[in-house]
Amino acid sequence: QQIQENLNKQLLDNLVSFLIRSHSEFQEKTTEWTCRMKFREIPTAALVLGVNVTDHDLTFRGVSDALQDNITPYIALLEAKDCPGIKNLMQKLMGQLMNCDVDVDSLEDENCVQVSQNRTRCSMSSLISWYENATKKTDSETPSRKRNSSSRHWQSPPVVVIFKDMESFTTKVLQDFIVISSQHIHELPLVLIFGIATSPMIIHRLLPHSVSSLLCIELFQSLSCKEHLSTIIDKLLLTSQFPFKLGEKVLQVLINIFLYHDFSVQNFIKGFQLCIVEHFYSQPLSVLCCHLVDVKKRINSLSHDQCENIRRLPSFRRYVEKQVSEKQIALLTNDNFLKEETERLLEDLHVYHENYVSVLRCLHVFTSSLPKYPLGKQIRELHCACLENRVWETEEYESFLQLARMLNKTDLVTMLQQCVEILMSSSGKEFDKTVEKLKEFLTQFQNLEAEACQEQDVSVSSQKELQKKTDLYHLQKTLLELKESRRSKKLTKFEMLRFEVVDSIDSLVRQYLVPADARALHEVVYFNAATVLRGHLNAAPRTALHTALNNPHWYLKNKALKCDGGGISNKAPDICIVYKLHLECGRLINLVDWLEAFSTVVMAAEEPNADAASSDQVDDIIHARFIRAVSELELLGFIKPSKQKTDHVARLTWGGC
Amino acid sequence: MSRPEGTRSGRRSLQVKFVPDEEVLKHITDDSGVKVRKDKTQLSVSVKTFVKKLEKITDNEAQEILEEKNYVAALGVCAQEPMGNGSNISGGEVYSFQTPKRSSKMAELASELAQTPEQNANPDHSKCPEKMAESPQSSSKCVSSSNACFFSLLLQSKSKEFVSTTPYRLRKRLAAADPYLDSESEYSASCSEEEDEEDQKEVSTVLSGQKTPAKIKVASTPPPRNSLAKKNKEEKMDSLVEEYFEAHSSSKVLTSDRTLQKLRKRRLNQQTLHDLLQKAPLAYAAEIKDLNQQHESLFSKWMLQLHLGFNIVLYGLGSKRDLLEKFRTSLLQDSVHLVVNGYFPSITVRSILNSITEEVLDHTGTFRSPLDQLEFIIKRFKEDSSLELYVLIHNLDSQMLRGERSQQILAQLSSLPSIYLIASIDHINAPLMWDQAKLSLYNWLWYETTTFSPYVEETSYENSLLVQQSGSLALSSLMHVLHSLTLNARGIFRLLAQHQLEKKDSPSYPGLSFHDFYQQCREAFLVNSDLTLRAQLTEFRDHKLIRTKRGADGVEYLVIPVDDRTLTDFLEKEEEDV
């Protein structure tokens, strides 16, 4: 569990640093541009952030932190839900600014009083007077102390107001605020930042021209969320430093949720965290999922039970079966030997990952530039394909090879160069040879260029020859020959070379991109329970309800409930029977009929002891059970009482018309 | 519903050709509402149209199933194993027809079921006697499937000259059913014996009365909405959407007019209901226990995940209250926790926040708004990292908490790292409460905990139609109030009650107009002036004994807002007293 938390932290840090980095460009721009503030108009930045609303929080936090560090201590973050009216907006604004002030000046007493006073009369003028006070204070009282902390701050730092979700503000409030503040722009250097989820057009739709002309808007486009995602995948999954890996299905689930549901990087991270938690919780051998440095220590501390666990892993069993018999026995009986072997295997796995990543990147270099992207445009698609099964057995790979054999030279050379760079930068030692080989290819290509010039000469000369011959018969003959030679033409040197290159890439792929589940002990680091993940993240409560009501056998493993198809046994729980009956009804359901139908079904189920003597009592109980079932359905939202007719309920769901 | 079946039944229908064809035609027009070309009177032609119709319908149905499948797919049903059940159930299957295999059982059940429609059927009304010819043959065809049985019964009853409202489609099914049944006579005999419980005069009543049971009981017929909708329609609509609006725009829904009052059974009040349910044994207790144990094994995992910043939401059929309680008692004994009974009808977010500030944070002050309070709580929890709070909410989706603002507040609360929220939802549309922003605040992990245990606590606050909230109460209070009144006043009230009971059968009875009432009261020497009556009525109104309505002509009408049974009982009691 300790490890888990560490990993989680690492993950979050990663995310935050990444987000901040991705937005540093904005900040730089903002700094530049706040310098040349105009006086008539309010400088405004519009950040187009995209639809992944949930991530905006982090972004804004990053932006405001960065601003605080670099430009100004006075920042207010406003959200639409806090500001239903201009008054609330001003209050909120004042409050936040004052708090900033408190942080900077640490003059708590005075300011607290101020805050409480300002509660009642928040106006622009009070804001201005406060601002003057504050700036004066910082200038006069504590210049020496401030120098270190805010040396980068301007002499009169601007007040930055960030509107987090511009679209959901009421237009009136925004307009008023802008008009008011534009009147005071001389005294109060105000900067607005709008967060926009849809498109920059929204500003003009929300604000009339008279208002928007008061703004001096500059547009910033944030990176699309897909790019965020690929960065994260790059950083987390395609590195060998991070010991935990995702299985193919899990990754697919996460990516699907991202692409089809929310576009939220945060949710992706959440899913990833959940994977980690699940993995460490459910897989007893996940202790071994750590950095290579610690592996040895941990393996030595393994107990006998844990060793047994290792022996039980299917991948390990497969591995054992391949060994010679003495070794098999040793592996299955001797704990120490097992430990050594495990360590070796884990190291292998690590090396495999290193190689895998670099080769994957190489392959991606090739595939990403091919027409129609047979193996996917993004590296994550390629990654999935490689994890799923042997990539070289797929049709897409075939078409990739064919396309690669048709590449032109310049592309091929640049790709090869990229590959060489990638392989050089990777830490794997096995790549020396391949790097050499690729380099050789490169030099050959250069040689080819020289040769090609010569070849051209030759062809030109042949052309000349052709022109010389004026004789019709000869002409025909030579033309035929030419044709013939073209058809059966031997491959040029370039083509030969190209084939060689492709073949070498192919062999690389075959060697290194073996799917992970073929490796021994892959269970230790790979998390594969995609269904669990999906159940927790992307649950389908309606389906669960539906199943429980339609097919109670699924949950209650009782033989009496077992029945096929859409039918339902009459011994099913009351609510199931009632539900089933109600499905047959139209928009309105007559309770009496319903009750009768229910009681007949139940009576049929209980028929052995349905005597005439106790029938009255039984009736009451059935009645009561019916009432309970109906009110449960009401609670579940399937029906509601209806006033259209006496003793009727209305159906609310699923074709209730 | 593939085409082969359609043609098969078409072929079957060829066997029925001795039925006078104009009557077949009439049936088709009557029942399915599908246009039939009237000019085709020839026998063979009519059969052809028959087949055509069948194909049309099957096409329509197939399309419908397809669309439902799409819908379910769009719901995000996953094709994985634990939820595999879900994926197997395409939307189409929800409605589609499937022959149960345990035929004998179901047939038995159906025979039970089949007795009910006869009860309110009146044999005097005849409209389509032509069924006589068809019924023997068709009944010889069906046995294995319950609904087939039932329909043959319907046909039998038709032979006893019923108004036939059997949807055309159902008849098709009947024809398509496997030809196993030997005879249906004993059913019909048993049916005919008990067809006199109520007599209903109006044809329409019979019509609808017979129709609804059919709809209810045939457990595997296609959704009757089509037949219903078609009935109201002149032309056949292609798209489901239009059908939907069609069905909803027409306020006419055909259901039987029977009410619970006519059922000679006393209504149950909350207490007796509870007692009775106590007596009734819980079905499948062992299996339910197994399920619960399965869920309980997850407790420690929940704890871990709660501590890692996730919040947990439980869904699935059955009350999750006991499960949460168990979780609480087993793991949260030593920590600060707050249990919120969301199903309680007067719970508010404010009360939740109050209990946090007052009991957890020991703060005795009031707040101007829930938002302020929330801010205060957030501040306190951020300041003091040792503060931890578990919040258990039963029914997060209850009436009172499902509002947007309350959910927003709860979401913000749950996003605090030291507040651990574990909640349960039951309503099918509960997930619609949350938008992206709230979901990310909540940071849910979903757990399916289907328990099948009855919602005892949760439903006890619901105002169910069936539970008698006021019946006996109303009577006693009526008596009580009236006993404290003068004799004259009681007389006045009795007069009104009698009048209302006399008119109870006319559905458009607006109430007794004030003027008439005054006249009657004068004749009975109960009042001497307009004013005294008015004063008396005001007193009644204050006790909610009567209600006044203004009619379209501006005349004031007086009604006693008590159901007829209670009123009768009341009058009987009064008679005894006098």
Side-chain angles (χ1 to χ4, degrees):
Chain A
Q1 289 192 8
Q2 284 275 314
I3 323 163
Q4 277 170 42
E5 273 154 32
N6 287 343
L7 289 179
N8 274 341
K9 256 180 214 154
Q10 195 180 333
L11 205 67
L12 278 177
D13 288 349
N14 244 338
L15 174 74
V16 169
S17 66
F18 157 72
L19 277 176
I20 286 176
R21 214 161 24 75
S22 74
H23 286 281
S24 57
E25 62 202 85
F26 294 135
Q27 285 128 34
E28 278 160 27
K29 276 188 204 164
T30 351
T31 21
E32 280 172 29
W33 149 91
T34 39
C35 302
R36 47 181 174 83
M37 266 192 325
K38 290 173 193 158
F39 275 91
R40 265 315 195 57
E41 300 166 341
I42 310 170
T44 309
L47 284 176
V48 181
L49 292 163
V51 289
N52 48 339
V53 190
T54 45
D55 298 338
H56 295 177
D57 245 12
L58 266 181
T59 317
F60 278 118
R61 219 173 299 147
V63 168
S64 69
D65 283 351
L67 283 176
Q68 198 139 30
D69 288 348
N70 296 322
I71 304 166
T72 169
Y74 308 120
I75 293 170
L77 274 168
L78 295 178
E79 274 178 81
K81 63 170 186 285
D82 298 331
C83 313
I86 185 83
K87 198 177 152 201
N88 304 46
L89 189 140
M90 288 305 290
Q91 260 179 22
K92 200 86 192 167
L93 182 62
M94 297 287 283
Q96 288 202 8
L97 288 175
M98 305 288 175
N99 279 338
C100 296
D101 199 31
V102 171
D103 292 342
V104 172
D105 290 345
S106 63
L107 299 168
E108 276 137 22
D109 307 330
E110 195 189 327
N111 272 307
C112 278
V113 176
Q114 253 185 348
V115 171
S116 58
Q117 280 175 348
N118 280 329
R119 263 252 148 92
T120 44
R121 40 173 193 87
C122 287
S123 69
M124 216 58 194
S125 55
S126 65
L127 190 65
I128 290 164
S129 64
W130 158 81
Y131 179 72
E132 277 167 2
N133 273 339
T135 43
K136 241 183 246 160
K137 256 179 241 153
T138 49
D139 288 348
S140 59
E141 282 177 27
T142 56
S144 54
R145 193 162 59 84
K146 287 283 289 178
R147 195 167 292 149
N148 309 338
S149 61
S150 64
S151 53
R152 285 161 296 171
H153 292 170
W154 269 265
Q155 204 56 31
S156 57
V159 173
V160 179
V161 181
I162 300 176
F163 294 89
K164 272 191 185 171
D165 36 1
M166 162 113 178
E167 281 96 337
S168 37
F169 277 95
T170 43
T171 48
K172 183 101 179 32
V173 172
L174 269 184
Q175 285 173 26
D176 286 352
F177 181 73
I178 291 168
V179 171
I180 292 172
S181 46
S182 74
Q183 316 246 302
H184 295 275
I185 193 72
H186 291 288
E187 296 111 282
L188 188 72
L190 205 63
V191 177
L192 304 182
I193 295 180
F194 292 143
I196 295 173
T198 47
S199 82
M201 282 306 293
I202 196 78
I203 297 180
H204 299 288
R205 206 168 302 155
L206 279 177
L207 304 172
H209 184 69
S210 59
V211 176
S212 60
S213 63
L214 294 172
L215 303 173
C216 160
I217 300 174
E218 195 140 322
L219 202 65
F220 300 95
Q221 189 82 39
S222 87
L223 293 171
S224 85
C225 46
K226 278 188 212 151
E227 280 165 59
H228 289 215
L229 178 70
S230 41
T231 334
I232 283 181
I233 289 183
D234 245 23
K235 285 204 152 332
L236 290 178
L237 300 179
L238 301 178
T239 55
S240 45
Q241 277 119 46
F242 204 66
F244 175 75
K245 302 277 180 223
L246 288 181
E248 184 267 333
K249 278 201 185 115
V250 176
L251 186 60
Q252 205 73 55
V253 165
L254 282 181
I255 288 177
N256 279 349
I257 291 177
F258 177 83
L259 290 180
Y260 296 119
H261 287 260
D262 48 15
F263 283 121
S264 161
V265 179
Q266 223 175 356
N267 275 0
F268 184 83
I269 296 288
K270 172 189 163 190
F272 192 72
Q273 282 172 324
L274 180 66
C275 290
I276 297 176
V277 173
E278 278 288 325
H279 180 67
F280 283 98
Y281 186 81
S282 56
Q283 176 61 261
L285 286 173
S286 54
V287 249
L288 297 179
C289 176
C290 58
H291 290 284
L292 203 56
V293 195
D294 309 331
V295 164
K296 194 167 176 124
K297 215 168 43 185
R298 294 221 179 133
I299 284 181
N300 285 333
S301 64
L302 283 182
S303 67
H304 178 71
D305 282 348
Q306 279 168 319
C307 289
E308 282 301 308
N309 275 334
I310 292 180
R311 284 180 191 129
R312 246 174 266 139
L313 286 183
S315 69
F316 188 74
R317 269 199 237 150
R318 252 178 280 140
Y319 172 76
V320 169
E321 275 157 24
K322 280 186 204 140
Q323 308 299 319
V324 282
S325 57
E326 302 96 67
K327 207 176 168 192
Q328 276 187 11
I329 293 165
L331 276 175
L332 292 179
T333 51
N334 189 344
D335 274 1
N336 284 330
F337 186 70
L338 177 80
K339 281 178 188 171
E340 278 166 32
E341 191 68 17
T342 320
E343 193 183 333
R344 209 177 52 74
L345 282 174
L346 282 177
E347 269 166 27
D348 274 359
L349 203 59
H350 188 75
V351 171
Y352 155 77
H353 281 141
E354 278 177 355
N355 298 339
Y356 175 86
V357 171
S358 10
V359 174
L360 189 71
R361 282 179 203 276
C362 287
L363 186 61
H364 181 236
V365 167
F366 275 89
T367 54
S368 59
S369 59
L370 289 176
K372 282 203 267 178
Y373 309 107
L375 281 166
K377 200 174 180 179
Q378 307 278 350
I379 197 164
R380 58 166 187 263
E381 295 165 61
L382 192 62
H383 183 50
C384 281
C386 291
L387 281 177
E388 196 180 355
N389 43 34
R390 294 180 189 174
V391 73
W392 56 88
E393 283 169 4
T394 58
E395 275 176 39
E396 290 86 1
Y397 188 76
E398 282 300 311
S399 65
F400 152 71
L401 282 184
Q402 272 170 12
L403 286 170
R405 285 190 188 115
M406 283 184 266
L407 283 170
N408 64 16
K409 199 181 73 179
T410 41
D411 284 353
L412 202 59
V413 171
T414 48
M415 283 178 201
L416 277 178
Q417 272 161 351
Q418 280 175 342
C419 287
V420 170
E421 273 168 35
I422 291 170
L423 292 180
M424 295 278 268
S425 65
S426 83
S427 50
K429 289 132 206 154
E430 298 168 33
F431 288 128
D432 294 346
K433 241 204 241 160
T434 41
V435 168
E436 267 172 36
K437 202 172 167 190
L438 290 182
K439 274 185 178 163
E440 204 176 289
F441 282 135
L442 277 176
T443 50
Q444 278 181 1
F445 273 119
Q446 272 152 16
N447 293 342
L448 256 184
E449 227 161 299
E451 281 171 37
C453 296
Q454 290 172 7
E455 247 175 60
Q456 215 151 34
D457 290 347
V458 174
S459 63
V460 168
S461 64
S462 73
Q463 286 269 309
K464 273 177 189 165
E465 232 171 83
L466 198 74
Q467 277 168 357
K468 260 188 243 166
K469 291 199 171 143
T470 48
D471 184 348
L472 192 69
Y473 170 72
H474 279 282
L475 181 71
Q476 216 167 14
K477 203 176 162 192
T478 36
L479 277 177
L480 272 176
E481 269 171 18
L482 268 179
K483 221 185 208 170
E484 196 87 336
S485 68
R486 207 165 285 162
R487 197 174 296 155
S488 67
K489 194 164 67 175
K490 267 182 248 157
L491 299 169
T492 61
K493 271 194 176 170
F494 166 66
E495 279 164 324
M496 302 262 275
L497 207 54
R498 191 162 59 182
F499 273 124
E500 268 178 59
V501 170
V502 173
D503 283 346
S504 73
I505 293 289
D506 186 35
S507 68
L508 267 183
V509 167
R510 279 166 200 268
Q511 191 181 351
Y512 294 111
L513 291 191
V514 187
D517 41 8
R519 313 287 303 194
L521 291 184
H522 71 92
E523 287 96 337
V524 171
V525 292
Y526 277 88
F527 176 68
N528 255 323
T531 51
V532 180
L533 186 70
R534 184 181 275 259
H536 292 332
L537 288 182
N538 195 9
R542 291 176 70 138
T543 324
L545 264 186
H546 182 105
T547 317
L549 288 170
N550 272 304
N551 186 9
H553 174 69
W554 180 266
Y555 293 101
L556 306 172
K557 310 282 181 206
N558 191 313
K559 268 191 210 119
L561 292 173
K562 180 120 181 129
C563 56
D564 298 275
I568 192 164
S569 151
N570 53 10
K571 289 202 174 59
D574 297 344
I575 187 167
C576 300
I577 295 172
V578 170
Y579 172 77
K580 215 45 185 182
L581 291 171
H582 116 284
L583 278 186
E584 303 303 327
C585 286
R587 193 146 54 92
L588 288 179
I589 305 169
N590 187 321
L591 280 174
V592 183
D593 295 337
W594 202 4
L595 171 61
E596 261 171 34
F598 176 74
S599 66
T600 36
V601 173
V602 173
M603 297 282 253
E606 285 176 355
E607 134 232 48
N609 54 359
D611 299 332
S614 65
S615 73
D616 208 30
Q617 170 109 42
V618 168
D619 242 4
D620 267 355
I621 288 177
I622 287 174
H623 192 181
R625 280 163 63 185
F626 176 71
I627 289 170
R628 177 173 64 186
V630 168
S631 49
E632 280 172 0
L633 278 189
E634 195 180 334
L635 180 80
L636 293 175
F638 285 103
I639 53 165
K640 67 166 188 202
S642 160
K643 287 232 162 65
Q644 278 187 26
K645 235 172 165 185
T646 46
D647 292 329
H648 275 66
V649 289
R651 252 186 93 176
L652 294 175
T653 47
W654 289 329
C657 51
Chain B
M1 300 306 122
S2 56
R3 200 167 279 228
E5 199 195 337
T7 48
R8 189 160 52 111
S9 51
R11 237 176 279 130
R12 285 264 161 65
S13 68
L14 280 173
Q15 301 171 350
V16 201
K17 63 190 163 206
F18 56 85
V19 178
D21 52 59
E22 54 267 88
E23 263 149 7
V24 170
L25 269 179
K26 196 169 129 202
H27 245 281
I28 293 169
T29 42
D30 264 351
D31 298 331
S32 64
V34 183
K35 269 190 181 169
V36 178
R37 294 157 204 89
K38 289 284 179 195
D39 51 337
K40 297 186 177 172
T41 41
Q42 290 306 309
L43 180 75
S44 58
V45 183
S46 85
V47 170
K48 248 184 224 161
T49 48
F50 208 63
V51 175
K52 258 184 207 161
K53 290 294 154 327
L54 280 177
E55 284 175 0
K56 245 189 206 169
I57 286 169
T58 48
D59 277 359
N60 186 29
E61 213 163 291
Q63 179 200 357
E64 191 178 291
I65 286 169
L66 197 75
E67 280 183 34
E68 273 154 4
K69 262 182 195 153
N70 289 342
Y71 167 67
V72 170
L75 261 182
V77 177
C78 41
Q80 315 290 343
E81 303 87 54
M83 303 300 296
N85 49 344
S87 68
N88 294 343
I89 300 164
S90 64
E93 266 170 62
V94 181
Y95 304 109
S96 72
F97 169 80
Q98 249 133 3
T99 316
K101 270 196 183 158
R102 292 150 23 89
S103 53
S104 61
K105 275 268 185 211
M106 287 302 276
E108 201 182 289
L109 164 70
S111 76
E112 295 269 6
L113 293 175
Q115 293 174 8
T116 39
E118 315 292 337
Q119 290 174 356
N120 56 351
N122 196 331
D124 295 337
H125 302 287
S126 62
K127 263 197 177 171
C128 32
E130 84 285 356
K131 275 291 153 190
M132 215 119 71
E134 191 174 317
S135 49
Q137 192 182 356
S138 51
S139 67
S140 71
K141 274 185 207 157
C142 52
V143 74
S144 73
S145 69
S146 62
N147 65 325
C149 244
F150 171 65
F151 274 109
S152 66
L153 276 176
L154 260 194
L155 295 184
Q156 296 265 336
S157 52
K158 267 176 218 139
S159 69
K160 277 175 254 142
E161 302 173 346
F162 272 57
V163 182
S164 159
T165 54
T166 322
Y168 171 68
R169 188 109 60 95
L170 303 185
R171 284 179 49 227
K172 180 199 80 187
R173 290 191 187 293
L174 169 69
D178 297 330
Y180 289 175
L181 187 62
D182 34 20
S183 162
E184 204 53 48
S185 53
E186 69 270 31
Y187 285 138
S188 61
S190 72
C191 295
S192 52
E193 279 165 17
E194 35 182 312
E195 49 173 65
D196 47 291
E197 266 217 38
E198 298 162 40
D199 32 290
Q200 284 160 340
K201 302 287 177 210
E202 292 134 308
V203 180
S204 70
T205 323
V206 176
L207 197 144
S208 54
Q210 195 185 350
K211 186 166 180 67
T212 342
K215 267 185 276 159
I216 292 177
K217 268 129 215 170
V218 183
S220 40
T221 46
R225 63 182 155 126
N226 293 338
S227 52
L228 266 182
K230 272 174 199 153
K231 195 151 280 192
N232 300 333
K233 260 183 286 187
E234 276 310 307
E235 53 190 327
K236 194 167 161 249
M237 295 290 189
D238 291 303
S239 83
L240 260 181
V241 181
E242 280 170 41
E243 233 171 77
Y244 176 87
F245 284 112
E246 185 80 8
H248 274 262
S249 62
S250 67
S251 58
K252 217 167 89 192
V253 180
L254 293 176
T255 49
S256 79
D257 280 340
R258 301 199 294 163
T259 57
L260 288 173
Q261 283 170 33
K262 287 179 185 161
L263 208 67
R264 219 165 301 133
K265 198 178 281 177
R266 69 196 162 84
R267 288 195 169 195
L268 303 163
N269 62 21
Q270 195 71 249
Q271 187 55 44
T272 46
L273 176 70
H274 189 74
D275 293 346
L276 280 172
L277 286 180
Q278 287 278 310
K279 262 185 259 166
L282 184 60
Y284 305 109
E287 284 84 2
I288 289 174
K289 209 173 151 205
D290 277 357
L291 266 179
N292 274 326
Q293 254 153 16
Q294 226 171 305
H295 301 318
E296 278 157 28
S297 64
L298 294 170
F299 280 174
S300 58
K301 195 169 171 183
W302 290 355
M303 273 309 259
L304 173 70
Q305 286 172 342
L306 285 175
H307 276 275
L308 286 172
F310 297 104
N311 292 310
I312 286 174
V313 62
L314 310 177
Y315 64 92
L317 180 69
S319 170
K320 290 157 282 281
R321 197 172 173 282
D322 294 339
L323 192 68
L324 280 179
E325 275 300 296
K326 206 155 195 180
F327 175 68
R328 187 179 73 86
T329 47
S330 59
L331 287 175
L332 301 182
Q333 265 327 323
D334 305 325
S335 39
V336 187
H337 58 261
L338 174 74
V339 180
V340 179
N341 293 325
Y343 50 82
F344 196 69
S346 62
I347 191 99
T348 57
V349 184
R350 180 143 228 176
S351 57
I352 298 174
L353 290 177
N354 274 339
S355 50
I356 292 179
T357 49
E358 280 162 23
E359 278 156 47
V360 181
L361 301 177
D362 284 328
H363 176 87
T364 55
T366 50
F367 296 89
R368 283 189 307 153
S369 73
L371 280 176
D372 282 355
Q373 202 166 0
L374 181 70
E375 232 160 75
F376 172 78
I377 293 170
I378 290 174
K379 216 174 108 203
R380 282 293 296 273
F381 273 97
K382 280 200 174 138
E383 276 167 12
D384 190 354
S385 57
S386 66
L387 219 50
E388 285 188 339
L389 176 65
Y390 294 86
V391 182
L392 285 85
I393 303 183
H394 305 294
N395 291 76
L396 187 59
D397 54 348
S398 66
Q399 286 287 351
M400 293 305 293
L401 296 181
R402 65 173 71 143
E404 206 266 332
R405 281 172 58 84
S406 11
Q407 285 296 328
Q408 180 69 40
I409 287 171
L410 286 175
Q412 274 174 313
L413 206 61
S414 71
S415 68
L416 284 176
S418 49
I419 288 187
Y420 312 115
L421 176 67
I422 177 162
S424 67
I425 56 168
D426 289 301
H427 199 280
I428 38 164
N429 293 327
L432 299 179
M433 292 189 297
W434 303 313
D435 56 14
Q436 282 289 335
K438 288 200 197 75
L439 278 178
S440 78
L441 279 177
Y442 271 125
N443 207 7
W444 286 131
L445 284 187
W446 298 77
Y447 274 91
E448 182 183 337
T449 53
T450 302
T451 61
F452 271 102
S453 39
Y455 294 96
V456 180
E457 288 289 321
E458 286 91 330
T459 53
S460 62
Y461 296 104
E462 298 256 339
N463 287 327
S464 173
L465 274 179
L466 289 161
V467 182
Q468 182 69 313
Q469 305 286 347
S470 54
S472 60
L473 221 77
L475 185 60
S476 68
S477 57
L478 212 63
M479 300 298 293
H480 190 76
V481 170
L482 281 182
H483 273 297
S484 63
L485 293 177
T486 60
L487 255 174
N488 270 7
R490 278 154 78 175
I492 292 170
F493 190 78
R494 197 162 54 231
L495 214 59
L496 189 59
Q498 275 161 356
H499 186 79
Q500 186 162 335
L501 278 182
E502 277 165 25
K503 292 286 168 61
K504 73 175 172 188
D505 288 332
S506 78
S508 58
Y509 168 68
L512 185 57
S513 73
F514 179 78
H515 187 73
D516 293 348
F517 192 35
Y518 176 57
Q519 288 298 334
Q520 286 183 21
C521 288
R522 268 183 75 118
E523 279 159 23
F525 298 110
L526 289 170
V527 290
N528 52 8
S529 79
D530 188 319
L531 277 179
T532 35
L533 180 58
R534 278 211 187 274
Q536 203 57 62
L537 288 181
T538 316
E539 192 165 352
F540 286 157
R541 204 177 303 143
D542 289 346
H543 284 104
K544 299 211 165 71
L545 290 181
I546 60 165
R547 222 169 42 200
T548 50
K549 279 191 289 194
R550 242 177 231 293
D553 47 354
V555 182
E556 211 176 343
Y557 289 107
L558 306 166
V559 187
I560 303 174
V562 179
D563 53 49
D564 299 343
R565 270 272 301 266
T566 325
L567 217 55
T568 327
D569 288 351
F570 163 73
L571 283 181
E572 278 167 16
K573 282 248 172 76
E574 278 282 293
E575 295 298 316
E576 284 168 25
D577 285 4
V578 172

